[in-house]
Amino acid sequence: MTEPLGEPRPDAALGLAGVPHTGEAFTEDGHLIEPQAGDFRHARAAQPDPAWYQTAVFYEVLVRAFNDSNNDGTGDLRGLADKLDYLDWLGIDCLWLPPFYASPLRDGGYDISDFRAVLPEFGDVDDFVYLLDQAHRRGIRVITDLVLNHTSDAHPWFQESRNHPGGPYGGYYVWADHDTGYPKARIIFVDTESSNWTYDPVRGQFYWHRFFSHQPDLNYENPDVQEAMLDVLRFWLDLGIDGFRLDAVPYLFEAEGTNCENLPRTHEFLKRCRKVVDDEYPGRVLLAEANQWPADVVEYFGDPGSGGDECHMAFHFPLMPRIFMAVRRESRFPISEILAQTPQIPSHCQWGIFLRNHDELTLEMVTDEERDYMYAEYAKDPRMKANIGIRRRLAPLLDNDRNQQELFTALLLSLPGSPVLYYGDEIGMGDNIWLGDRDGVRTPMQWTPDRNAGFSRCDPGRLYLPVIMDPVYGFQALNVEAHSNNGSSLLHWTRRMLQVRREHAAFGLGDFTELGSSNPSVLAYLRRWVDPSTGDEDLVVCVNNLSRFPQPVELDLSDQTGRIPVELTGGVGFPPIGELPYLLTLPGHGFYWFQITNQGEEGEVR
Amino acid sequence: MREIQPEELVADLHEALRRWLPEQRWFGQKGRGVDEIRTVRAATVIDGEPALVHALVEVSGGDVYQLMIGVREHLSDVLGHAAIGRSGELYAYDAPHDPELMGRLLDLVVAGEDRAGLLFRTEPDAEVEPGMRARPVGVEQSNTSVIYGQDYILKLYRRASVGNSRDLELHRALRAAGSVHIANPLGAVHGSLTGRSVVLAFLQRFLSDGVEGWATATASVRDLLAEGDLHADEVGGDFAGEAARLGTAVAEVHADLASVLGSEQVGVEQIAAEVDAMHARLDAVLAEVPELREHAEVLRMAFDEVRSIEEPVVVQQVHGDLHLGQVMRSTMGWVLIDFEGEPAASPQQRLLPRSPLRDVAGMLRSFDYAAFHLLAGAEEDRQLLTRATEWSDRNRSAFCEGYAKVAGDPRDQYRLLRAFELDKAVYEVAYEHHNRPDWLPIPLVAIRRESFRVA
């Protein structure tokens, strides 16, 4: 069966003619021929470091938004590669790229129509390998999103499945004669979908989808699907990618009588994915996207006894809105509470924490009690309510207040977890609320005061989104070049903080202990790490004033009596810690990072 | 090695104590000197260097104070500020400042020792580690506290009274009910006074992450007053969520106390007696504070309205002195502390069951204080006064709404609640008149506001 199908080929419609893609031909037994990693060059390997993700600073960048190399108005992989020197200078350890696969783009690229081809406007697989190679040359790693749960309905697998129920792909999706199965599974996009089942007139059956009806769920009960998806992982890992953020992981399996989320078999499959990584690609990571309460998310780290045997990392979703709430309330308790409720994670795992990214906090997944709490705190406050759906960038959310931007960044870099920065926030970029929904925070990166903010040489009308031009955040004044030339800019400040963070393993690896104090507006904590090879202790104290007013705080550091706090950004020694509570005063929204040191000879601190 | 004669030592210190006692924050008869001191008892708890002597002394007027006296041959600079006086070659000082002696005191509790007529005991289900590092905490109104590590706090009662036992008993009752709104009781030091058993010190779980409710509330008020053009429900520092959770916590504590210790309905005569007492307290304050006179008539009307309450009035054990300084916000939620009862009441009165609305009224008054205290003594600013009033109204309502999640809405019993609040405000008028004249307008404005509603 090698004759072309009777209908237009979806892949051709997606602009993949001329580049390798899935379904250019069929094998004799009716399987689609898919591109293989051996068809491409491979990137050089990153420096081996099995625990790199525990200390790394991540940077989320949209390929579309960063830099346009061919002047067609849309950012691309080559353009991103051209800016790696900037990211290297800034001190980023790993890029996180949202999906860049072939896609009809009906869900921001999360509707993947070919796992083994790049969206043509971003370039091709060779361009990705080039980016990866150039990144690794600079010691920067790259991870990307991979949607395991579903594909686009334009994916050749789905087209085969609907057209040839008896063929090799007939069982790749969840088909049924009735739309009555799994009634306990909630509908996630209630605004657009009325059921998790949609009727397909071609096949004459219903198919299952947890998200949009154009995103049919893969059938993980089918061993061929499991193998096919593991091969997708291998394809990119062979090219040299450093890991995946696994999108929508709780939904892989279905079972009657359950809500079809977080089922044991879903965890079994993640363990299989992990075993592939551990056995064949050590040093690469899996990051779970499970928008749930920390106590539930820890399931995705797997068995604590083995240090974790599912995902290496998972996002800590509730922390972000709590940080905003705490500063707004001038009270540490929103943060203290959520950290107190965050369980220990296996030793080889790490949280991913962020201030902004394109994900939103949804209140569906939390406990009733927590939902009440969040509603009580947010819903009464129109400004906070707007923050539940993350529709704005950091700087406008903080009224462009430099002190608060610094405080928030300092919290992000010092709380437990690997921080994820969002492109442009390092220069305090603004947003464009008139672009609606999510596009407002996806405008072109502002590089220079030149045409199109230096993002592209194209006709300005051809840009995928207009650059920010308002008087406060407009690119003429707010851009990387201007920030680079100003030593006191937010960009230089951010770079310095990343340097400081890199010098102290305690930030990434250390224990977290909150230091209570009688001042509710001050959040103080210890980060402590002992290097197992040398026995050296790295003890960092972080003190944050969440209030706009200056505040005093007395910290109980009596365990450290006689030692000297040295401020980390300037190296200034503070008065030694005595028997009495340690008194500090902080300016409004101020913070300190100290290393607790032993005094050396002749008053030298070491 | 010398042997300490405790009776002689304390006798030697009488003269020094006459000067030292009135300087202490916890000394009750402010502004009055101490003419005479009588040693009720004195005994050596720990002998050697340093030594610890426990003493109860009665001052003129009849109040009995508890002293923990450290005794050393040499007094280091660190302890110099705690010096009381000398007895022969020996230095005597306030022992709570001495980490060494306080550490050994904890060890006595852990070991369950009997020493010098004092019984050191842990609670039956408590696990307490000995050998913890001790440190004294800041100044307190009526006690002196010592913190051990990050784990325990020992409250040394300075006034030896049966009210202290109430603190322990109510904590035990709440512990038995499984309350999450207390600092768990861990142990106590028991003694006797005029033949009756008294609790002299109380060991509890230390809320190392706790912050006084007053500090959290006033942080919110400060935020509001700095805003100026925003309303209390619009500013970032809005406290209503916390106020509601606090209301729920107080209601849960009331429910637990009632379930363990019981509750009862009071009769008409008791209500009448309570109203008479309110009038009597008003009479006393009117005689002292002329500013209150214009409100006398309305106050009496509000009190008398209680006589005509038809719905049953229920009494039970309550906190007794509830305000924002008696609650702590910890990471796990709100905690009520210090169940010693109403300071102005006699020890016997403290033990009587009271209406839980007394606690509610105390907290509502405290919200009013939190709202207005930053404006006290400043030139009147209508804008700020309006904002502060909004804050007070908003958080008082939120507290009641939170309370109503567990029990009846306190505002449904408005006549009783209003009388309790006004009774409390009258007490505040007298207190501010004597101690902080700048703050006198806080209760007076509240009384004026309420009187419009009564009239």
Side-chain angles (χ1 to χ4, degrees):
Chain A
M1 190 178 111
T2 53
E3 72 274 24
L5 296 167
E7 64 242 42
R9 296 296 304 274
D11 51 346
L14 293 165
L16 294 176
V19 294
H21 60 269
T22 297
E24 290 176 77
F26 288 88
T27 63
E28 289 197 355
D29 62 0
H31 279 90
L32 295 153
I33 290 180
E34 308 201 14
Q36 301 300 311
D39 303 344
F40 304 93
R41 282 182 56 235
H42 293 187
R44 80 188 64 203
Q47 289 288 327
D49 176 4
W52 65 271
Y53 53 89
Q54 290 183 302
T55 52
V57 174
F58 290 74
Y59 186 88
E60 181 188 3
V61 58
L62 311 179
V63 174
R64 184 183 302 280
F66 211 54
N67 190 34
D68 175 13
S69 71
N70 62 357
N71 297 324
D72 64 353
T74 295
D76 44 51
L77 293 166
R78 289 270 170 180
L80 174 54
D82 288 345
K83 293 297 186 184
L84 285 169
D85 281 337
Y86 164 74
L87 297 170
D88 187 26
W89 173 85
L90 181 57
I92 298 303
D93 300 302
C94 183
L95 298 182
W96 161 28
L97 309 181
F100 52 77
Y101 310 94
S103 165
L105 299 182
R106 295 177 69 188
D107 182 23
Y110 288 87
D111 49 334
I112 297 167
S113 57
D114 190 340
F115 288 111
R116 298 177 186 233
V118 167
L119 187 70
E121 58 201 78
F122 291 169
D124 57 25
V125 172
D126 286 321
D127 293 329
F128 178 74
V129 172
Y130 174 76
L131 168 70
L132 200 52
D133 191 66
Q134 290 296 315
H136 286 174
R137 183 192 288 265
R138 290 164 177 80
I140 296 175
R141 287 176 160 83
V142 180
I143 65 168
T144 189
D145 281 19
L146 181 65
V147 184
L148 293 177
N149 181 62
H150 51 256
T151 70
S152 163
D153 60 3
H155 196 290
W157 291 350
F158 186 72
Q159 295 304 323
E160 284 299 302
S161 192
R162 71 183 340 180
N163 284 303
H164 304 287
Y169 299 92
Y172 260 46
Y173 294 85
V174 184
W175 294 100
D177 292 329
H178 302 284
D179 61 356
T180 51
Y182 315 128
K184 290 189 174 171
R186 70 198 169 92
I187 296 163
I188 294 169
F189 293 142
V190 283
D191 291 349
T192 50
E193 303 295 336
S194 55
S195 166
N196 286 323
W197 292 103
T198 291
Y199 183 72
D200 179 41
V202 178
R203 175 152 162 166
Q205 278 187 303
F206 292 91
Y207 62 90
W208 176 252
H209 55 87
R210 290 311 302 273
F211 293 87
F212 294 113
S213 57
H214 58 76
Q215 290 169 333
D217 275 29
L218 286 163
N219 176 22
Y220 276 86
E221 300 289 348
N222 182 345
D224 291 348
V225 168
Q226 296 195 20
E227 288 303 325
M229 290 309 291
L230 290 173
D231 283 343
V232 168
L233 293 176
R234 289 190 181 99
F235 174 81
W236 293 100
L237 291 167
D238 280 335
L239 296 179
I241 201 162
D242 297 290
F244 298 98
R245 172 182 176 272
L246 301 177
D247 201 69
V249 289
Y251 310 102
L252 302 187
F253 282 83
E254 294 79 36
E256 206 55 74
T258 73
N259 65 0
C260 301
E261 295 174 17
N262 312 311
L263 299 184
R265 302 200 56 197
T266 294
H267 288 286
E268 277 172 34
F269 181 68
L270 288 172
K271 286 180 165 56
R272 282 194 72 190
C273 294
R274 174 61 180 263
K275 191 156 166 40
V276 167
V277 170
D278 284 349
D279 292 352
E280 303 169 35
Y281 308 96
R284 321 293 179 88
V285 302
L286 300 176
L287 195 169
E289 189 247 11
N291 189 352
Q292 297 178 340
W293 214 234
D296 301 321
V297 172
V298 288
E299 299 288 313
Y300 286 96
F301 292 124
D303 174 23
S306 66
D309 60 358
E310 292 185 27
C311 291
H312 301 78
M313 293 182 69
F315 277 127
H316 195 305
F317 279 92
L319 179 61
M320 179 274 295
R322 293 293 193 123
I323 293 174
F324 281 86
M325 191 198 292
V327 176
R328 194 142 160 67
R329 294 272 180 270
E330 305 197 358
S331 162
R332 66 179 145 94
F333 288 106
I335 297 174
S336 306
E337 284 173 344
I338 198 65
L339 291 173
Q341 291 175 39
T342 300
Q344 285 287 321
I345 60 177
S347 54
H348 296 145
C349 295
Q350 179 65 300
W351 291 109
I353 59 175
F354 56 91
L355 297 171
R356 306 319 278 161
N357 68 22
H358 61 271
D359 277 303
E360 297 176 12
L361 177 85
T362 61
L363 295 178
E364 292 150 32
M365 305 301 286
V366 305
T367 62
D368 286 350
E369 196 176 311
E370 181 63 17
R371 186 163 51 216
D372 287 350
Y373 180 96
M374 296 293 271
Y375 274 128
E377 291 296 344
Y378 277 93
K380 287 176 184 166
D381 184 336
R383 282 168 64 183
M384 290 301 278
K385 200 173 180 180
N387 297 356
I388 292 187
I390 303 157
R391 299 286 158 80
R392 308 218 58 187
R393 273 188 176 272
L394 186 62
L397 271 173
L398 303 179
D399 296 331
N400 209 25
D401 181 282
R402 172 74 180 268
N403 290 337
Q404 285 191 65
Q405 288 177 70
E406 292 185 2
L407 172 65
F408 273 71
T409 305
L411 286 165
L412 178 70
L413 298 183
S414 61
L415 286 167
S418 288
V420 182
L421 307 177
Y422 187 59
Y423 87 94
D425 282 350
E426 73 272 23
I427 55 170
M429 248 173 77
D431 48 34
N432 182 347
I433 55 169
W434 308 110
L435 294 176
D437 213 23
R438 295 171 167 187
D439 284 342
V441 299
R442 298 177 175 192
T443 60
M445 180 70 177
Q446 296 169 196
W447 295 103
T448 70
D450 302 336
R451 177 191 184 98
N452 299 331
F455 163 77
S456 172
R457 295 294 306 157
C458 73
D459 184 322
R462 201 182 167 190
L463 288 177
Y464 74 97
L465 287 175
V467 291
I468 303 285
M469 286 178 285
D470 70 58
V472 176
Y473 302 101
F475 69 91
Q476 289 92 343
L478 198 161
N479 56 66
V480 170
E481 184 180 291
H483 269 244
S484 301
N485 293 337
N486 174 3
S488 67
S489 65
L490 183 65
L491 177 64
H492 278 283
W493 180 88
T494 305
R495 176 173 183 251
R496 175 76 189 118
M497 295 304 284
L498 294 184
Q499 282 174 344
V500 171
R501 190 181 193 278
R502 194 165 339 147
E503 286 161 13
H504 292 277
F507 287 117
L509 303 171
D511 298 338
F512 171 90
T513 310
E514 188 171 346
L515 292 169
S517 79
S518 58
N519 189 330
S521 298
V522 175
L523 175 71
Y525 41 86
L526 284 172
R527 302 299 314 275
R528 179 175 178 274
W529 188 65
V530 178
D531 188 331
S533 56
T534 62
D536 289 346
E537 180 191 55
D538 186 21
L539 183 62
V540 173
V541 176
C542 305
V543 190
N544 305 279
N545 177 9
L546 308 177
S547 165
R548 56 179 145 165
F549 305 112
Q551 300 282 341
V553 64
E554 288 188 341
L555 298 175
D556 178 13
L557 296 173
S558 50
D559 289 349
Q560 312 298 331
T561 299
R563 303 180 81 190
I564 294 192
V566 174
E567 200 279 329
L568 286 184
T569 62
V572 174
F574 271 53
I577 298 163
E579 292 282 338
L580 296 175
Y582 197 75
L583 172 69
L584 288 168
T585 57
L586 296 109
H589 291 139
F591 74 92
Y592 296 125
W593 288 357
F594 296 109
Q595 185 178 26
I596 305 298
T597 64
N598 298 316
Q599 191 161 25
E601 287 171 17
E602 294 163 27
E604 286 288 303
V605 293
R606 31 166 274 129
Chain B
M1 193 68 211
R2 89 262 187 244
E3 193 170 322
I4 290 171
Q5 303 298 327
E7 302 273 357
E8 285 173 28
L9 178 113
V10 175
D12 287 347
L13 292 173
H14 276 187
E15 204 45 41
L17 284 170
R18 281 183 54 202
R19 284 188 307 276
W20 186 80
L21 278 173
E23 291 168 4
Q24 305 310 307
R25 175 91 192 266
W26 40 262
F27 185 70
Q29 294 125 309
K30 298 252 162 39
R32 270 180 277 168
V34 177
D35 297 329
E36 210 180 313
I37 289 186
R38 184 176 73 82
T39 306
V40 178
R41 75 184 295 277
T44 306
V45 179
I46 296 166
D47 212 346
E49 171 72 17
L52 179 65
V53 169
H54 178 263
L56 297 176
V57 296
E58 184 183 321
V59 301
S60 41
D63 286 339
V64 177
Y65 290 93
Q66 171 175 224
L67 302 176
M68 288 280 185
I69 303 170
V71 184
R72 285 177 183 260
E73 288 171 15
H74 305 284
L75 203 58
S76 69
D77 288 349
V78 182
L79 288 171
H81 71 286
I84 296 173
R86 295 184 66 164
S87 166
E89 296 297 303
L90 298 172
Y91 290 91
Y93 59 97
D94 195 28
H97 295 275
D98 185 343
E100 186 182 343
L101 285 176
M102 289 301 107
R104 292 174 66 184
L105 200 64
L106 177 72
D107 296 349
L108 292 176
V109 174
V110 175
E113 298 258 359
D114 296 358
R115 285 278 180 94
L118 306 179
L119 312 179
F120 298 83
R121 296 287 183 270
T122 53
E123 290 294 291
D125 62 340
E127 284 182 23
V128 185
E129 294 285 321
M132 301 281 275
R133 182 194 187 88
R135 68 182 164 95
V137 284
V139 193
E140 284 171 90
Q141 201 79 43
S142 53
N143 313 303
T144 301
S145 292
V146 178
I147 291 166
Y148 294 95
Q150 295 282 324
D151 297 339
Y152 317 129
I153 182 165
L154 181 74
K155 178 159 64 174
L156 286 164
Y157 299 106
R158 288 302 190 161
R159 307 281 285 275
S161 108
V162 290
N164 308 342
S165 311
R166 180 184 194 270
D167 198 8
L168 176 62
E169 293 305 327
L170 293 197
H171 271 97
R172 281 177 172 166
L174 287 164
R175 172 96 176 112
S179 176
V180 296
H181 301 299
I182 53 165
N184 279 340
L186 301 173
V189 180
H190 307 265
S192 65
L193 182 66
T194 58
R196 295 177 61 182
S197 169
V198 287
V199 176
L200 295 169
F202 182 20
L203 187 72
Q204 286 175 276
R205 175 72 51 198
F206 176 55
L207 304 168
S208 64
D209 60 343
V211 175
E212 210 181 68
W214 177 258
T216 60
T218 51
S220 164
V221 175
R222 203 177 295 120
D223 188 53
L224 172 69
L225 297 184
E227 224 25 283
D229 60 337
L230 289 178
H231 296 281
D233 58 340
E234 294 170 333
V235 294
D238 182 23
F239 193 69
E242 291 292 356
R245 284 189 287 276
L246 176 57
T248 305
V250 170
E252 285 172 356
V253 165
H254 284 163
D256 286 341
L257 285 173
S259 78
V260 176
L261 300 172
S263 61
E264 57 190 273
Q265 211 167 306
V266 294
V268 183
E269 327 77 62
Q270 270 172 286
I271 292 175
E274 187 65 48
V275 174
D276 292 343
M278 290 181 192
H279 282 293
R281 286 191 285 266
L282 176 59
D283 290 338
V285 179
L286 282 171
E288 288 184 322
V289 189
E291 291 94 329
L292 190 59
R293 282 176 201 154
E294 57 174 309
H295 305 299
E297 195 182 337
V298 194
L299 286 167
R300 292 197 190 285
M301 273 167 64
F303 294 158
D304 284 331
E305 280 200 30
V306 173
R307 295 186 204 274
S308 56
I309 287 175
E310 282 157 13
E311 62 268 20
V313 173
V314 174
V315 294
Q316 61 167 86
Q317 288 299 333
V318 298
H319 182 279
D321 183 28
L322 197 61
H323 55 80
L324 285 164
Q326 301 277 38
V327 291
M328 304 276 283
R329 176 64 159 94
S330 82
T331 300
M332 302 325 256
W334 285 101
V335 169
L336 279 61
I337 57 171
D338 292 343
F339 285 75
E340 289 150 62
E342 194 185 330
S346 73
Q348 278 66 33
Q349 283 173 327
R350 290 188 196 194
L351 300 179
L352 297 174
R354 318 201 69 179
S355 165
L357 290 186
R358 281 273 182 196
D359 281 351
V360 174
M363 193 56 84
L364 295 182
R365 289 298 311 134
S366 196
F367 279 118
D368 213 45
Y369 259 76
F372 289 98
H373 82 287
L374 289 172
L375 306 178
E379 203 174 313
E380 189 167 307
D381 179 326
R382 284 196 56 162
Q383 171 82 6
L384 294 183
L385 282 173
T386 308
R387 291 287 167 267
T389 307
E390 281 176 8
W391 190 96
S392 178
D393 289 347
R394 175 171 174 75
N395 288 290
R396 287 159 53 96
S397 299
F399 178 85
C400 291
E401 281 160 24
Y403 193 96
K405 281 189 177 176
V406 176
D409 190 326
R411 292 167 297 188
D412 292 345
Q413 301 183 63
Y414 71 96
R415 281 181 295 194
L416 194 55
L417 183 61
R418 184 177 61 197
F420 286 153
E421 265 208 81
L422 288 171
D423 183 42
K424 179 91 183 164
V426 167
Y427 165 83
E428 291 161 4
V429 165
Y431 182 86
E432 303 303 358
H433 175 78
H434 289 297
N435 297 297
R436 297 180 296 203
D438 273 354
W439 290 35
L440 184 56
I442 297 178
L444 280 179
V445 166
I447 290 169
R448 184 175 302 131
R449 199 170 55 216
E450 220 32 64
S451 54
F452 286 128
R453 296 179 200 170
V454 182

